[in-house]
């Protein structure tokens, strides 16, 4: 008989789709564009695994990777139809790799939760509800993961899909039972009360709910329209339920000895100074600032919460060191903690915020946050410098971030540099001494001396921007643009608050690929090659050809292996290498060129338990790497499949005596051994009453025809004929006998593309210096095609040549090492070690303004990033100036560290302070309003 196609394998009607790939693409694009035109709060979106969605995009001809970087414009859905090949149908929607339950999709929809720390684009995509309905109609599968769109921000309103709702742990004081409640962070306290009362069977008028953060009563919550986010409730925190009929009591109001605890006061403790003023440190949450100056502000309500682990009991004891308080992680807030520790250990800022700065708060600046960010930061800095070594939970500060910078809301990991940039700019605008910014018409340089143009530019800048941040953190650089056509020169002088330095030598990546022989002529071998980070699959193939000494009549077939299946073939020469992640498993098969137009055979491996004789059952566990070979016959048969598999397995055969005992005598090792296996399988087949002709009795191997997802099975015989040119997939069931015949270890545990260690190492080999990064930043280079300059002489946009020079350096200079590269497709991290000086960083040679000043700097803080993207971790090193000693700030944990240990490849942000010329010691110069 002849089997025309493997379409019979597909279930749920997937193989009989009513729409062509082109029709599917058009329908999805139209629905998505319609959804974008009708954005509103409450719209439903669905989370889909990127692995499945990328496969669908390739099937319908959408440029998947352009969409996966998070670009939400419809341009990212442009067509990229491949004429030379047709992608495989994706099969049923499979979200098992992104849910905590794994492949168990039988639980209720509201009980299925996403794995933590997933990244949009890299791990999942979001599709509108109508798109999900269509995809599910075509492909079935799941589970469905609906999420609502919320509106975020105060002054800059943005729409965002709440992928991770707020998870609260409810403790019922009546029986000390615990329950989990999932609610949107935008849900009101009234909704929380309704959910809690319904869950625990209590009347709302008898329920009292406490903010029980860190197992301590903070604020009694009241049913109101105030949101959970505004109430500073955090992911995974506890809330406490009490019944107020007077008959129920619990240990929750007592300490460990059984004595009643004095609950934290509902009102903040008062000091004799305002929150922004006073020469001494406040021990409480003072709210004496004049918040009535601007109606509608939530200044006092936001800052009177005593939830930061800071109260009268946490004052500095005599002899206790200050500045060594950690910051509690509130759920992926290590990025925030790292940046904050660097800022709160910046000497001039410490001095400024510990004094009275109330007169400088600008509540009228439309570019600011009505002073709220400065007040929240100042209050947090005071707590950190007042609480000894007690960790502080920055819940109020995080709440302010969510209001004014919604990009940092929620519980995803973010970039400490992006937060630093926002904080410096936000603090500047909140503390801007200029209440009304004058209009200033900019003048061209017109050949005037640089000194004159620079001074004029700085004067204009200071006329509109004058704050402690400008005084301490802002410098000035010279930007020169030259038109490549008319040679018009444009010179401007612009301010900066930090310098983002490229890492010049980090342009390559190492990739490990395991190469298998498609003809069974050798054992698999992993090869590690070096390729350009922004290269393509053709570059990887070229490097592998050289590494494995590929013959001229051979080709390499690249594929990704995921969950013991072929997830995708990397057959496009211009497939960007950025689409291959470090934790993926990539294999290559050496195939004879002349056979690649024939029928492709994919062989999956499945462990067959001894007690099981139902070979059609799909519950067996797949293992190992699938093998690929090609059938040379014009119309292959079942016998040809068996012969090809025997050949491709031959390198794995064992030669020890115990294996020979199984195979009997004879020179044909494989054939004789398989004959014995066949007789055993035949006997088992006959004994299995439910197995009606399923296993082919004339096949030596336990083989079944399957689909690419290994979900459906069908038997075949030696004389079964197959249509040529198709892809055939078979599964081979292994028992102890096969394990005795073949060494399956070669199929298992293939290495990842790149195994990155979580701990940063001092990789001195191939290290680059900070000065080389600075040189790369200042090098002359043409503008990119997307960043053209309008030439006033040519009256056209030109790809001008740009040159940057440093003109004036601030007291505090921050270097941002650009470890994260944002290409068209995905993000990558560069782990190259940068050798930076701790003492005596002399930048004088880089400063073009020869004003005679010394520009020698000392390092005082570092923001570190460990690990890869998404799952990485931020910490900080900071120098305690008073004792001239370094400390490691890892969220709540603070520990001393040797100065010799602070230089690692994890360094991300470097904070330097200019050395005082008279004393040449860091930290001994007082705050000054001078910028030079």
């Amino acid at each position: 008989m002849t089997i025309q196609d493997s379409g019979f394998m597909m279930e749920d009607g997937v193989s009989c789709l009513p729409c062509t790939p082109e029709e599917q693409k058009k329908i999805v694009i139209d629905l998505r564009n319609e959804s974008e035109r009708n954005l509103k709060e409450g719209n439903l979106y669905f989370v889909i695994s990127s692995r499945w969605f990328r496969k669908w995009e390739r099937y319908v001809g959408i440029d998947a990777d352009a969409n996966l970087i998070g670009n939400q414009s419809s341009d990212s859905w442009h067509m990229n139809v491949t004429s030379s090949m047709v992608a495989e149908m994706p099969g049923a929607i499979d979200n098992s790799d992104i849910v905590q339950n794994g492949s168990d999709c039988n639980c209720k929809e509201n009980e299925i939760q996403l794995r933590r720390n997933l990244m949009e684009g890299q791990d999942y995509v979001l599709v509108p509800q109508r798109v999900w309905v269509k995809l599910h109609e075509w492909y079935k599968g799941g589970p469905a993961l609906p999420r609502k769109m919320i509106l975020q921000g105060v002054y800059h309103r943005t729409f965002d899909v709440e992928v991770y709702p707020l998870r609260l742990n409810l403790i019922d004081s009546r029986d000390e039972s615990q329950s989990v409640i999932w609610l949107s962070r935008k849900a009101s306290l009234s909704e929380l009360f309704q959910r809690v009362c319904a869950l625990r069977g209590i009347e709302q008028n008898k329920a009292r709910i406490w903010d029980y953060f860190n197992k301590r009563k903070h604020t009694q919550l009241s049913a109101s329209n105030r949101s959970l986010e505004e109430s500073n409730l955090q992911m995974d925190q506890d809330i406490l339920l009490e019944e107020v009929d007077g008959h129920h009591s619990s240990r929750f109001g007592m300490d460990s000895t059984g004595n009643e605890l004095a609950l934290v006061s509902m009102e903040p403790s008062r000091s004799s100074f305002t929150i922004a003023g006073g020469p001494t440190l406040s021990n409480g949450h003072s709210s004496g600032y004049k918040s009535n100056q601007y109606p509608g502000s939530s200044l006092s309500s936001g800052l009177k919460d005593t939830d930061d682990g800071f109260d009268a009991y946490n004052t500095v004891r005599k002899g206790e060191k200050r500045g060594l308080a950690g910051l509690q992680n509130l759920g992926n807030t290590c990025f925030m903690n790292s940046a904050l520790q660097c800022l709160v250990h910046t000497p001039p800022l410490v001095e400024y915020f510990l004094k009275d700065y109330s007169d400088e708060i600008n509540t009228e600046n439309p570019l600011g946050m009505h002073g709220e960010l400065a007040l929240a930061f100042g209050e947090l800095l005071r707590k950190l410098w007042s609480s000894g070594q007690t960790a502080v939970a920055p819940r109020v500060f995080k709440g302010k971030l969510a209001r004014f910078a919604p990009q940092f809301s929620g519980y995803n990991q973010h970039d400490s540099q992006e937060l630093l940039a926002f904080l410096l700019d936000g603090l500047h605008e909140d503390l801007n001494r200029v209440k009304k910014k004058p209009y200033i018409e900019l003048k061209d340089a017109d050949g005037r001396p640089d000194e004159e143009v620079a001074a004029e530019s700085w004067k204009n800048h200071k006329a509109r921007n004058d704050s402690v941040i400008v005084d301490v953190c802002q410098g000035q650089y010279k930007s020169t643009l030259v038109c490549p056509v008319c040679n018009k020169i444009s010179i401007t002088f612009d301010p900066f608050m930090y310098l983002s330095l490229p890492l010049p030598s980090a342009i390559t990546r190492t990739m490990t690929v395991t190469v298998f022989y498609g003809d069974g002529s050798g054992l698999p071998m992993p090869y590690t090659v070096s390729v350009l980070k922004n290269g393509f699959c053709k570059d990887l193939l070229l490097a592998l050809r050289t590494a494995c000494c590929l013959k001229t009549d051979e080709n390499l077939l690249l594929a990704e292996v995921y969950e013991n299946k072929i997830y995708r073939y990397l057959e496009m020469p211009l497939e960007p290498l950025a689409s291959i992640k470090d934790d993926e498993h990539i294999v290559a098969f050496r195939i004879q060129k002349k056979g690649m137009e024939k029928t492709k055979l994919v062989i999956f491996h499945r462990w067959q338990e001894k007690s099981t004789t139902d070979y059609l059952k799909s519950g067996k566990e797949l293992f190992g790497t699938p093998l690929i070979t090609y059938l040379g016959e014009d119309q292959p048969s079942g016998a040809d499949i068996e012969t090809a598999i025997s050949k491709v397995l031959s390198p794995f055969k064992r030669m020890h005596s115990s294996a020979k005992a199984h195979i009997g005598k004879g020179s044909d090792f494989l054939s004789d051994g398989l004959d014995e296996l066949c007789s055993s399988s035949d006997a088992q087949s006959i004994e299995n009453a439910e197995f009606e002709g399923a296993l082919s009795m004339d096949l030596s191997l336990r083989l079944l025809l399957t689909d690419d997802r290994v979900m459906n099975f069908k038997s075949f015989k030696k004389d079964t004929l197959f249509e040529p040119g198709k892809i055939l997939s078979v599964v081979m069931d292994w028992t102890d006998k096969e394990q005795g015949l073949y060494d399956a270890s070669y199929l298992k545990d293939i290495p990842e593309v790149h195994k990155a260690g979580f701990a940063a190492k001092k990789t001195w080999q191939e290290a680059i210096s900070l000065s080389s990064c600075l040189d790369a930043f200042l090098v002359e280079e043409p503008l990119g095609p997307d960043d053209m300059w309008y030439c006033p002489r040519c009256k056209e946009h030109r790809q001008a040549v740009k040159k940057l020079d440093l003109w004036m350096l601030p007291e505090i200079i921050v270097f941002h090492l650009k470890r994260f590269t944002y290409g068209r497709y995905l993000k990558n991290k560069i782990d190259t070690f940068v050798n930076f000086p701790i003492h005596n960083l002399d930048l004088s040679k880089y400063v073009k303004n020869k004003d005679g000043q010394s520009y020698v700097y000392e390092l005082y803080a570092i923001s570190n990033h460990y690990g890869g993207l998404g799952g990485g971790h931020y910490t900080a090193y900071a120098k305690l100036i008073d004792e001239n000693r370094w400390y490691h700030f890892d969220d709540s944990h603070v520990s001393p560290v040797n100065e010799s240990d602070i230089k690692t490849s994890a360094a991300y942000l470097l904070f330097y302070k200019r050395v005082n010329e008279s004393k040449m010691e860091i930290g001994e110069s007082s705050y000054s309003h001078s910028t030079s």
Side-chain angles (χ1 to χ4, degrees):
M1 61 179 181
T2 300
I3 297 178
Q4 296 295 328
D5 202 338
S6 59
F8 69 90
M9 298 296 174
M10 307 304 291
E11 59 182 7
D12 298 327
V14 173
S15 62
C16 302
L17 294 177
C19 300
T20 65
E22 291 75 17
E23 290 171 335
Q24 289 184 47
K25 175 172 57 186
K26 184 180 186 306
I27 290 172
V28 168
I29 291 177
D30 290 345
L31 290 176
R32 185 180 177 281
N33 291 340
E34 181 183 345
S35 175
E36 285 186 341
R37 292 191 296 267
N38 296 282
L39 294 179
K40 62 181 179 181
E41 200 169 9
N43 283 358
L44 269 186
Y45 279 71
F46 283 75
V47 183
I48 299 180
S49 166
S50 286
R51 284 189 175 273
W52 184 90
F53 197 71
R54 280 186 294 183
K55 199 169 183 179
W56 175 82
E57 285 181 310
R58 281 192 290 270
Y59 175 63
V60 301
I62 290 177
D63 188 349
D65 296 297
N67 178 51
L68 289 180
I69 61 172
N71 183 353
Q72 295 301 308
S73 69
S74 58
D75 292 340
S76 67
W77 285 62
H78 65 272
M79 292 178 289
N80 183 26
V81 181
T82 303
S83 58
S84 60
M85 59 174 291
V86 178
E88 294 182 26
M89 193 181 298
I93 298 171
D94 184 6
N95 286 333
S96 61
D97 63 320
I98 60 172
V99 297
Q100 289 182 348
N101 308 72
S103 59
D104 178 15
C105 302
N106 296 321
C107 50
K108 296 179 181 178
E109 184 175 290
N110 58 0
E111 296 176 355
I112 301 174
Q113 299 302 328
L114 287 174
R115 284 170 37 213
R116 294 292 180 93
N117 302 321
L118 298 179
M119 294 180 64
E120 184 177 359
Q122 180 171 311
D123 300 302
Y124 69 87
V125 295
L126 294 166
V127 299
Q129 182 177 14
R130 296 183 65 189
V131 171
W132 164 262
V133 169
K134 278 296 178 185
L135 290 174
H136 192 262
E137 174 187 323
W138 295 329
Y139 294 97
K140 304 297 187 291
L145 301 168
R147 295 295 186 268
K148 284 187 178 181
M149 177 169 278
I150 58 176
L151 191 58
Q152 302 214 88
V154 176
Y155 304 116
H156 306 287
R157 308 283 275 172
T158 60
F159 287 107
D160 189 23
V161 178
E162 188 176 26
V163 175
Y164 289 98
L166 188 62
R167 181 188 184 276
L168 300 174
N169 184 41
L170 171 65
I171 301 176
D172 192 332
S173 65
R174 298 173 298 176
D175 57 7
E176 301 186 9
S177 63
Q178 298 191 23
S179 312
V180 173
I181 292 179
W182 296 88
L183 274 175
S184 168
R185 59 181 181 270
K186 295 296 183 181
S188 67
L189 290 175
S190 294
E191 293 176 72
L192 175 64
F193 267 79
Q194 293 171 7
R195 181 74 65 86
V196 169
C197 293
L199 180 65
R200 301 305 301 165
I202 183 174
E203 296 179 23
Q204 189 164 327
N205 58 358
K206 294 183 178 180
R208 181 165 58 190
I209 301 177
W210 290 89
D211 174 355
Y212 201 52
F213 184 77
N214 282 347
K215 293 289 192 295
R216 194 165 70 105
K217 288 183 177 179
H218 291 276
T219 305
Q220 182 179 330
L221 304 175
S222 59
S224 67
N225 290 327
R226 191 179 189 187
S227 72
L228 306 185
E229 185 175 55
E230 291 170 330
S231 304
N232 296 319
L233 297 181
Q234 304 298 316
M235 178 71 84
D236 298 323
Q237 82 154 73
D238 295 322
I239 55 175
L240 179 65
L241 170 65
E242 292 180 335
E243 192 170 9
V244 292
D245 59 1
H247 299 297
H248 293 273
S249 61
S250 72
R251 63 177 179 84
F252 294 96
M254 302 180 181
D255 63 17
S256 59
T257 64
N259 297 319
E260 290 191 7
L261 291 174
L263 298 180
V264 178
S265 172
M266 291 292 292
E267 291 295 324
S269 55
R270 305 285 179 177
S271 72
S272 56
F273 301 96
T274 66
I275 190 172
T280 60
L281 298 175
S282 168
N283 289 333
H285 291 255
S286 198
S287 61
Y289 186 73
K290 298 170 248 174
S291 60
N292 59 348
Q293 288 186 349
Y294 44 98
S297 168
S298 58
L299 247 179
S300 59
S301 64
L303 289 175
K304 64 167 63 171
D305 189 6
T306 58
D307 63 0
D308 286 346
F310 177 83
D311 54 31
Y313 299 104
N314 287 334
T315 56
V316 179
R317 293 185 289 273
K318 187 175 181 180
E320 191 172 19
K321 297 176 182 178
R322 297 193 305 166
L324 294 181
L327 285 165
Q328 186 171 340
N329 194 315
L330 304 177
N332 278 334
T333 56
C334 57
F335 77 97
M336 179 181 77
N337 295 346
S338 174
L340 285 173
Q341 290 289 7
C342 293
L343 281 182
V344 301
H345 285 87
T346 298
L349 295 185
V350 174
E351 186 174 352
Y352 177 87
F353 282 99
L354 291 183
K355 290 183 177 180
D356 186 351
Y357 60 96
S358 58
D359 289 341
E360 295 200 336
I361 292 180
N362 189 336
T363 62
E364 303 170 3
N365 186 355
L367 299 179
M369 279 137 276
H370 292 264
E372 292 189 56
L373 183 66
L375 288 169
F377 177 81
E379 179 73 355
L380 180 59
L381 182 145
R382 288 174 174 234
K383 293 170 188 173
L384 290 170
W385 280 88
S386 306
S387 63
Q389 292 183 261
T390 302
V392 173
R395 294 204 291 168
V396 172
F397 184 82
K398 184 176 183 295
K400 296 298 179 185
L401 276 184
R403 292 186 65 226
F404 297 115
Q407 65 269 31
F408 299 117
S409 64
Y411 305 97
N412 289 331
Q413 183 71 278
H414 295 283
D415 191 321
S416 67
Q417 184 273 331
E418 293 176 0
L419 176 67
L420 176 71
F422 168 78
L423 288 179
L424 289 177
D425 186 64
L427 290 174
H428 157 64
E429 296 294 356
D430 269 5
L431 298 170
N432 198 345
R433 304 177 186 109
V434 179
K435 307 303 180 184
K436 292 185 178 180
K437 296 186 178 185
Y439 171 77
I440 297 174
E441 186 173 348
L442 300 179
K443 300 178 182 178
D444 199 0
D446 285 335
R448 291 181 292 161
D450 284 349
E451 291 76 10
E452 179 183 339
V453 179
E456 179 183 87
S457 298
W458 189 253
K459 179 182 177 182
N460 292 340
H461 176 66
K462 290 277 287 185
R464 295 170 55 85
N465 303 277
D466 185 16
S467 70
V468 63
I469 303 300
V470 175
D471 298 336
V472 172
C473 301
Q474 285 196 359
Q476 190 182 36
Y477 62 76
K478 174 186 175 182
S479 176
T480 305
L481 289 170
V482 180
C483 178
V485 177
C486 69
N487 293 322
K488 163 71 177 176
I489 298 176
S490 172
I491 296 176
T492 58
F493 290 84
D494 303 301
F496 68 86
M497 283 193 290
Y498 54 87
L499 297 176
S500 292
L501 307 184
L503 277 59
S505 69
I507 59 175
T508 63
R509 65 185 289 201
T510 58
M511 302 183 72
T512 299
V513 178
T514 304
V515 178
F516 287 80
Y517 286 83
D519 60 359
S521 59
L523 287 169
M525 179 71 68
Y527 292 92
T528 300
V529 296
S530 181
V531 292
L532 291 173
K533 279 182 176 288
N534 60 350
F536 303 92
C537 278
K538 65 176 183 177
D539 303 312
L540 176 58
L541 285 169
L542 184 61
L544 284 174
R545 291 180 71 94
T546 304
C548 72
C549 301
L550 198 72
K551 299 176 183 177
T552 56
D553 61 345
E554 290 180 312
N555 266 343
L556 286 175
L557 176 62
L558 278 178
E560 178 190 346
V561 175
Y562 175 69
E563 292 185 344
N564 310 112
K565 304 172 189 175
I566 299 293
Y567 171 68
R568 59 169 171 160
Y569 294 100
L570 298 163
E571 296 181 290
M572 297 295 296
L574 295 181
E575 173 88 13
L577 292 180
S579 69
I580 302 176
K581 294 180 287 185
D582 284 346
D583 61 351
E584 292 177 345
H585 298 85
I586 303 298
V587 296
F589 297 93
R590 300 177 68 143
I591 305 293
Q592 293 289 325
K593 289 181 180 178
K594 61 181 181 180
M596 294 190 73
E597 70 277 2
K598 302 289 186 177
T599 302
K600 181 191 292 184
L601 178 64
V602 184
I603 308 150
F604 300 99
H605 311 282
R606 192 171 63 165
W607 175 244
Q608 174 70 53
E609 298 179 7
K610 287 187 290 187
S611 60
T612 303
T613 57
D614 184 358
Y615 303 108
L616 285 182
K617 189 176 179 181
S618 62
K620 310 302 181 296
E621 183 179 354
L622 290 177
F623 76 92
T625 304
L627 298 176
I628 294 179
T629 188
Y630 281 80
L631 303 176
E633 293 70 20
D634 290 334
Q635 187 166 23
S637 66
D640 297 325
I641 290 177
E642 184 182 45
T643 301
I645 294 176
S646 300
K647 186 177 180 181
V648 82
L649 285 176
S650 60
F652 307 108
K653 60 187 177 182
R654 301 181 189 271
M655 296 305 295
H656 53 73
S657 59
S658 61
K660 291 180 181 180
H662 287 290
I663 64 175
K665 51 186 180 177
S667 60
D668 190 342
F669 174 90
L670 183 66
S671 175
D672 290 348
L674 292 178
D675 286 342
E676 181 177 342
L677 289 175
C678 177
S679 62
S680 173
S681 66
D682 289 347
Q684 290 178 346
S685 301
I686 296 171
E687 293 172 5
N688 185 3
E690 298 180 2
F691 186 64
E692 185 177 350
L695 185 66
S696 309
M697 297 187 191
D698 60 346
L699 290 180
S700 302
L701 293 170
R702 302 165 181 265
L703 302 175
L704 291 170
L705 206 61
T706 186
D707 55 21
D708 60 349
R709 297 174 62 236
V710 199
M711 295 294 292
N712 302 278
F713 306 92
K714 188 171 184 177
S715 64
F716 62 95
K717 296 183 179 182
K718 284 189 175 183
D719 61 354
T720 302
L721 298 179
F722 299 91
E723 187 177 349
K726 298 291 185 179
I727 298 177
L728 294 176
S729 299
V730 298
V731 61
M732 173 179 169
D733 283 329
W734 291 61
T735 67
D736 289 340
K737 290 191 175 182
E738 281 86 2
Q739 293 277 17
L741 283 170
Y742 304 107
D743 186 353
S745 63
Y746 292 104
L747 299 172
K748 302 175 182 177
D749 303 322
I750 60 173
E752 296 178 355
V753 169
H754 178 72
K755 188 71 173 178
F758 193 73
K761 299 179 181 178
K762 296 182 179 180
T763 313
W764 293 92
Q765 189 179 14
E766 298 184 3
I768 57 177
S769 65
L770 182 63
S771 60
S772 66
C773 296
L774 195 52
D775 290 336
F777 173 74
L778 299 174
V779 74
E780 183 178 88
E781 60 181 359
L783 295 176
D786 297 328
D787 191 24
M788 306 281 273
W789 171 65
Y790 182 79
C791 176
R793 184 180 295 169
C794 296
K795 307 297 184 183
E796 289 186 29
H797 285 89
R798 301 293 190 191
Q799 196 169 355
V801 176
K802 184 176 183 178
K803 176 72 170 72
L804 294 178
D805 293 293
L806 300 181
W807 186 260
M808 180 175 63
L809 299 184
E811 179 182 357
I812 299 296
I813 188 168
V814 181
F815 293 111
H816 164 222
L817 303 179
K818 297 174 70 173
R819 294 197 177 277
F820 301 109
T821 58
Y822 300 83
R824 178 186 174 193
Y825 298 93
L826 292 171
K827 289 199 306 183
N828 284 305
K829 186 191 174 187
I830 302 169
D831 290 313
T832 303
F833 177 80
V834 178
N835 190 13
F836 49 89
I838 299 175
H839 305 284
N840 301 318
L841 171 63
D842 191 352
L843 299 176
S844 303
K845 67 177 181 178
Y846 294 103
V847 181
K848 296 300 181 182
N849 177 23
K850 304 303 179 184
D851 54 5
Q853 292 200 40
S854 171
Y855 290 100
V856 178
Y857 288 80
E858 296 268 335
L859 185 73
Y860 71 88
I862 307 172
S863 175
N864 300 303
H865 182 270
Y866 298 86
L869 298 171
H873 181 58
Y874 286 92
T875 69
Y877 291 127
K879 189 174 185 179
L880 209 59
I881 305 303
D882 293 342
E883 58 176 294
N884 195 33
R885 186 169 185 180
W886 285 87
Y887 286 86
H888 183 214
F889 294 83
D890 185 356
D891 290 331
S892 300
H893 183 69
V894 180
S895 58
V897 62
N898 294 327
E899 185 174 271
S900 59
D901 294 329
I902 66 172
K903 294 169 71 172
T904 73
S905 59
Y908 183 46
L909 301 176
L910 304 175
F911 291 74
Y912 284 90
K913 183 183 185 300
R914 194 163 62 201
V915 177
N916 184 282
E917 289 185 72
S918 59
K919 298 184 180 181
M920 293 300 290
E921 290 185 11
I922 187 169
E924 295 193 14
S925 61
S926 60
Y927 164 71
S928 169
H929 285 260
S930 171
T931 59
S932 59

